[in-house]
Amino acid sequence: MIKKLLLTGATGSMGTAIRPLLAALAETVVVSGRRDITDLMPHEESRKASLDSADDVLRAVDGCDAIIHLGGYSVEGPFHPIMQANILGLYNIYEAARANGMPRILFASSNHVVGYHPQAEVLDNTALPRPDSLYGVSKVFGEALARFYFEKFGQQTAILRIGSCFDKPVDHRMLSTWLSYRDFVAFARAAFTVPVLGCPIVYGASANDRSFWDNSKSNYLGWQPQDNAEAYLAEVLQAVPNPDPNDPLHLFQGGKFTDIPILKEGNHD
Ligand code: 15L
């Protein structure tokens, strides 16, 4: 069992949802976000950190033997905050890990790395990056940084290109991209316990009938997602009975992100 697991992005919606499930993975979970977390569970410890501060990140990583890195800018936005959190912030995480015995890292990458691939294609982890947003571009950087630290130092990272990690799928695209919280946590367990992890790229989706992705090249991890978005088909059809086939939501794997203009500071909410 992991002794001390660091969860960055613990104040975000995904971080908040998975916190209770992480008690099964580690003796102590260090929950970290930009604000102090006060509603701590018995297995948790809070370490506030701003990812663009190397000192904060060093303090957060200190003594941890595994890291789930969800922290950062998680949607499309202006370049500067994306750069601070996802480029500088990720560099700070990898440098702090290097100074702390190189604990395994689960890096939350995103389907938006390959967002301009058509939905009609099935991709494996050799597909070319076709990012659909500045956010997607920052995740391409993150994947390259993970690979670089692996080649140069042997730092092991599971790169998970997360589809849509929410409570349940709410539109037709999510019938393909949905990742349940429990399947995410099962992935983390596999990444942290497989004898040799390496630096695989894996698509983060549940066992969805309509998945866009083929994870057979990372079977050695032993991850077997249990949930299937198809269980929510009736609900999705009721909410969105007539999806427009020409809507970018249904044309490209990245959905709506392909349709967002370059955002400047001040026009993002
Ligand atoms: C992501 O990468 C985002 O963090 C999340 O908010 C969703 O938009 C998700 O992708 C998705 O594509 O559904």
Side-chain angles (χ1 to χ4, degrees), residues 74-75 110-112 135 162-164 166 173-174 177 254 257:
S74 66
V75 289
S110 169
N111 72 89
H112 297 289
Y135 163 67
I162 298 176
S164 308
F166 297 102
R173 173 177 165 273
M174 284 196 204
T177 59
F257 280 51

Side-chain angles (χ1 to χ4, degrees), residues 41-171:
M41 288 172 262
H43 65 283
E44 291 181 326
E45 174 189 328
S46 172
R47 292 186 194 167
K48 181 174 137 184
S50 187
L51 289 172
D52 58 6
S53 158
D55 288 345
D56 279 14
V57 174
L58 259 178
R59 273 192 293 273
V61 170
D62 183 41
C64 293
D65 46 3
I67 300 173
I68 296 179
H69 182 54
L70 301 184
Y73 211 89
S74 66
V75 289
E76 180 59 326
F79 183 66
H80 189 76
I82 290 178
M83 178 186 71
Q84 293 288 111
N86 296 5
I87 295 183
L88 177 57
L90 195 69
Y91 167 74
N92 288 338
I93 289 280
Y94 273 85
E95 277 297 276
R98 193 161 73 89
N100 271 279
M102 294 198 292
R104 287 188 187 184
I105 298 174
L106 191 175
F107 167 53
S109 185
S110 169
N111 72 89
H112 297 289
V113 161
V114 290
Y116 267 118
H117 284 275
Q119 292 191 2
E121 262 176 44
V122 174
L123 306 182
D124 70 12
N125 64 4
T126 62
L128 278 184
R130 292 177 73 179
D132 57 21
S133 49
L134 294 173
Y135 163 67
V137 172
S138 77
K139 293 294 185 182
V140 176
F141 169 86
E143 294 190 358
L145 194 75
R147 187 74 209 179
F148 166 67
Y149 274 77
F150 176 63
E151 305 278 5
K152 199 170 267 291
F153 306 113
Q155 164 72 58
Q156 302 190 78
T157 299
I159 298 170
L160 188 66
R161 288 182 178 162
I162 298 176
S164 308
C165 193
F166 297 102
D167 194 30
K168 56 184 186 174
V170 296
D171 59 33

